[in-house]
Amino acid sequence: MAWSPFDEAAMRRALELATRGRGFVEPNPQVGAVVVRDGEIVGEGWHERFGGPHAEVIALGAAGPKARDATLFVTLEPCCHHGKTPPCTNAIRAAGIARVVVATGDPFPAVAGRGVETLRAAGINVETGLLAAEAERLTAPFRTLVTRGRPWVIAKWAMSLDGRLAAAPGQDRWISSVESRGLVHDLRSRVDAIAVGIATAVADDPLLTARPVAESTAGPRQPLRIVLDGQARLPLASKLVQTAHDMPVLVAVGPQAPHDKVAALEASGCEVWRGDAADTATRTAALLVELGRRRLTNLLVEGGPTLLAGMFAADQIDEVWAFIAPLILGGGNAGGPPPLPDVPRLAVEDVSFPGGDVLIRGTIGGPMITSPACRESRSANE
């Protein structure tokens, strides 16, 4: 279908609005909506918070009587079932909308095409597929939760130009810049959980919190902090354990983890999840399913290299944030992932330069959707 420039601009506005819900709406998807009449935007909205009104309802409310015979642009197929809110299809029909343009379908089984069918049965002209790739990328975490039963997994690491993931003992522990670390804290504030391996937890003694929490960008909660710790070795004196009563900590242990250590962690306020599998890969996969059962939508994995390498090998990584600092630390690779027979290829979505670092962001195995800044950077170099 040939879309007009105005149609595309309206849907891009809806996509832009949808991103404002990131960190607030999960496990729901980010959705934006725009109401257009006579070539003018008369109402717009986005899903602002889990349990709150959907984007379509907010946009229609903003449009008021001007919604009659207007066009609704929405980034995700409108719902047609009763959940925490009534069906959006009812609100669309009641408002007198004449045309609905949907970017992409909703994979949730209670919707999955029925929203479009319901609107068409009511005599509303429904068109689909405008900026579908962008909308599917926006809702990728939600889609992964619905279709694969696990969270969307973001791998993050910082490294030097010569491939070192950590400085030598006694040196400054930070490879990345202050600006890069600020981006990481903002990312932490928008995910449901952060995971590290036991080696990283022991070596770095991290808090794994989002600091500071910026009201303009942060989600409504601190993430669940997870340690993959097969033998329950997490020290009781660690910052994670010491703050477990204030912010949740989940320690994922194996079937052979000593019961006394598990009991001590639980007594200190940690939740202990015991996997049945003896091997780490199978246990990690089971943990992801457990997190999906709890409806966690975004999981940030911050290391270490052994955990990251294992998850890459098991095809459990969906998105990458790789910070490359302009440093040559020398001494060989400080624990980087080993070579893999089938190296996953990153579809680069954005390249930026926080504090002089290079931040490369992209997805594994998905379509390449570059940001405007990245497209401009490429054009300048071609």
Side-chain angles (χ1 to χ4, degrees), residues 341-357:
D342 298 309
V343 178
R345 184 169 181 82
L346 186 71
V348 177
E349 296 179 329
D350 186 71
V351 178
S352 57
F353 305 92
D357 296 340

mmCIF file of all heavy atoms in Angstrom, residues 341-357:
data_model
loop_
_atom_site.group_PDB
_atom_site.id
_atom_site.type_symbol
_atom_site.label_atom_id
_atom_site.label_comp_id
_atom_site.label_asym_id
_atom_site.label_seq_id
_atom_site.Cartn_x
_atom_site.Cartn_y
_atom_site.Cartn_z
ATOM 1 N N PRO A 341 31.618 -21.061 17.511
ATOM 2 C CA PRO A 341 31.554 -21.610 16.165
ATOM 3 C C PRO A 341 30.629 -20.799 15.259
ATOM 4 O O PRO A 341 30.921 -20.572 14.100
ATOM 5 C CB PRO A 341 31.003 -23.026 16.367
ATOM 6 C CG PRO A 341 31.066 -23.295 17.811
ATOM 7 C CD PRO A 341 31.207 -22.012 18.535
ATOM 8 N N ASP A 342 29.490 -20.386 15.816
ATOM 9 C CA ASP A 342 28.528 -19.593 15.059
ATOM 10 C C ASP A 342 28.394 -18.249 15.755
ATOM 11 O O ASP A 342 27.618 -18.092 16.694
ATOM 12 C CB ASP A 342 27.169 -20.292 14.988
ATOM 13 C CG ASP A 342 27.259 -21.631 14.272
ATOM 14 O OD1 ASP A 342 27.807 -21.647 13.159
ATOM 15 O OD2 ASP A 342 26.794 -22.631 14.841
ATOM 16 N N VAL A 343 29.135 -17.269 15.295
ATOM 17 C CA VAL A 343 29.158 -15.970 15.950
ATOM 18 C C VAL A 343 27.902 -15.194 15.595
ATOM 19 O O VAL A 343 27.603 -14.992 14.410
ATOM 20 C CB VAL A 343 30.409 -15.173 15.517
ATOM 21 C CG1 VAL A 343 30.401 -13.800 16.157
ATOM 22 C CG2 VAL A 343 31.670 -15.934 15.895
ATOM 23 N N PRO A 344 27.123 -14.762 16.586
ATOM 24 C CA PRO A 344 25.924 -13.986 16.268
ATOM 25 C C PRO A 344 26.303 -12.631 15.695
ATOM 26 O O PRO A 344 27.279 -12.012 16.125
ATOM 27 C CB PRO A 344 25.229 -13.840 17.629
ATOM 28 C CG PRO A 344 26.321 -13.989 18.636
ATOM 29 C CD PRO A 344 27.308 -14.952 18.030
ATOM 30 N N ARG A 345 25.543 -12.185 14.723
ATOM 31 C CA ARG A 345 25.819 -10.902 14.088
ATOM 32 C C ARG A 345 24.841 -9.858 14.617
ATOM 33 O O ARG A 345 23.637 -10.094 14.696
ATOM 34 C CB ARG A 345 25.700 -11.007 12.566
ATOM 35 C CG ARG A 345 26.081 -9.718 11.850
ATOM 36 C CD ARG A 345 26.213 -9.924 10.355
ATOM 37 N NE ARG A 345 26.592 -8.691 9.683
ATOM 38 C CZ ARG A 345 27.836 -8.239 9.594
ATOM 39 N NH1 ARG A 345 28.814 -8.931 10.147
ATOM 40 N NH2 ARG A 345 28.111 -7.117 8.970
ATOM 41 N N LEU A 346 25.386 -8.704 14.954
ATOM 42 C CA LEU A 346 24.586 -7.628 15.508
ATOM 43 C C LEU A 346 24.029 -6.754 14.389
ATOM 44 O O LEU A 346 24.763 -6.302 13.513
ATOM 45 C CB LEU A 346 25.448 -6.770 16.439
ATOM 46 C CG LEU A 346 24.716 -5.672 17.217
ATOM 47 C CD1 LEU A 346 23.830 -6.292 18.281
ATOM 48 C CD2 LEU A 346 25.710 -4.706 17.841
ATOM 49 N N ALA A 347 22.707 -6.537 14.409
ATOM 50 C CA ALA A 347 22.094 -5.551 13.519
ATOM 51 C C ALA A 347 22.183 -4.206 14.228
ATOM 52 O O ALA A 347 21.450 -3.938 15.182
ATOM 53 C CB ALA A 347 20.643 -5.915 13.235
ATOM 54 N N VAL A 348 23.115 -3.368 13.804
ATOM 55 C CA VAL A 348 23.386 -2.110 14.505
ATOM 56 C C VAL A 348 22.222 -1.148 14.309
ATOM 57 O O VAL A 348 21.807 -0.864 13.187
ATOM 58 C CB VAL A 348 24.695 -1.477 14.005
ATOM 59 C CG1 VAL A 348 24.929 -0.130 14.682
ATOM 60 C CG2 VAL A 348 25.863 -2.415 14.265
ATOM 61 N N GLU A 349 21.696 -0.640 15.426
ATOM 62 C CA GLU A 349 20.591 0.306 15.384
ATOM 63 C C GLU A 349 21.047 1.733 15.677
ATOM 64 O O GLU A 349 20.426 2.696 15.226
ATOM 65 C CB GLU A 349 19.513 -0.093 16.398
ATOM 66 C CG GLU A 349 18.857 -1.421 16.086
ATOM 67 C CD GLU A 349 17.808 -1.805 17.103
ATOM 68 O OE1 GLU A 349 17.951 -1.431 18.285
ATOM 69 O OE2 GLU A 349 16.848 -2.485 16.716
ATOM 70 N N ASP A 350 22.113 1.868 16.451
ATOM 71 C CA ASP A 350 22.535 3.214 16.819
ATOM 72 C C ASP A 350 23.998 3.196 17.235
ATOM 73 O O ASP A 350 24.455 2.238 17.877
ATOM 74 C CB ASP A 350 21.677 3.744 17.975
ATOM 75 C CG ASP A 350 21.980 5.195 18.296
ATOM 76 O OD1 ASP A 350 21.616 6.060 17.483
ATOM 77 O OD2 ASP A 350 22.598 5.463 19.341
ATOM 78 N N VAL A 351 24.723 4.245 16.870
ATOM 79 C CA VAL A 351 26.098 4.456 17.320
ATOM 80 C C VAL A 351 26.174 5.868 17.868
ATOM 81 O O VAL A 351 25.788 6.829 17.196
ATOM 82 C CB VAL A 351 27.112 4.286 16.177
ATOM 83 C CG1 VAL A 351 28.526 4.552 16.679
ATOM 84 C CG2 VAL A 351 27.015 2.889 15.572
ATOM 85 N N SER A 352 26.641 6.004 19.107
ATOM 86 C CA SER A 352 26.766 7.323 19.720
ATOM 87 C C SER A 352 28.099 7.401 20.451
ATOM 88 O O SER A 352 28.842 6.412 20.539
ATOM 89 C CB SER A 352 25.599 7.590 20.678
ATOM 90 O OG SER A 352 25.529 6.590 21.685
ATOM 91 N N PHE A 353 28.405 8.575 20.995
ATOM 92 C CA PHE A 353 29.743 8.819 21.546
ATOM 93 C C PHE A 353 29.659 9.486 22.926
ATOM 94 O O PHE A 353 30.085 10.622 23.097
ATOM 95 C CB PHE A 353 30.556 9.677 20.570
ATOM 96 C CG PHE A 353 30.624 9.098 19.190
ATOM 97 C CD1 PHE A 353 29.693 9.455 18.227
ATOM 98 C CD2 PHE A 353 31.601 8.170 18.859
ATOM 99 C CE1 PHE A 353 29.728 8.904 16.954
ATOM 100 C CE2 PHE A 353 31.649 7.610 17.595
ATOM 101 C CZ PHE A 353 30.714 7.968 16.643
ATOM 102 N N PRO A 354 29.147 8.781 23.923
ATOM 103 C CA PRO A 354 29.021 9.387 25.255
ATOM 104 C C PRO A 354 30.374 9.561 25.931
ATOM 105 O O PRO A 354 31.085 8.585 26.174
ATOM 106 C CB PRO A 354 28.140 8.391 26.013
ATOM 107 C CG PRO A 354 28.379 7.077 25.332
ATOM 108 C CD PRO A 354 28.604 7.416 23.880
ATOM 109 N N GLY A 355 30.730 10.810 26.234
ATOM 110 C CA GLY A 355 31.964 11.066 26.955
ATOM 111 C C GLY A 355 33.211 10.596 26.244
ATOM 112 O O GLY A 355 34.212 10.294 26.895
ATOM 113 N N GLY A 356 33.182 10.516 24.922
ATOM 114 C CA GLY A 356 34.334 10.048 24.173
ATOM 115 C C GLY A 356 34.376 8.554 23.950
ATOM 116 O O GLY A 356 35.213 8.056 23.191
ATOM 117 N N ASP A 357 33.487 7.786 24.606
ATOM 118 C CA ASP A 357 33.370 6.359 24.330
ATOM 119 C C ASP A 357 32.599 6.161 23.027
ATOM 120 O O ASP A 357 32.024 7.099 22.468
ATOM 121 C CB ASP A 357 32.604 5.646 25.453
ATOM 122 C CG ASP A 357 33.330 5.690 26.788
ATOM 123 O OD1 ASP A 357 34.546 5.909 26.786
ATOM 124 O OD2 ASP A 357 32.666 5.522 27.822
#
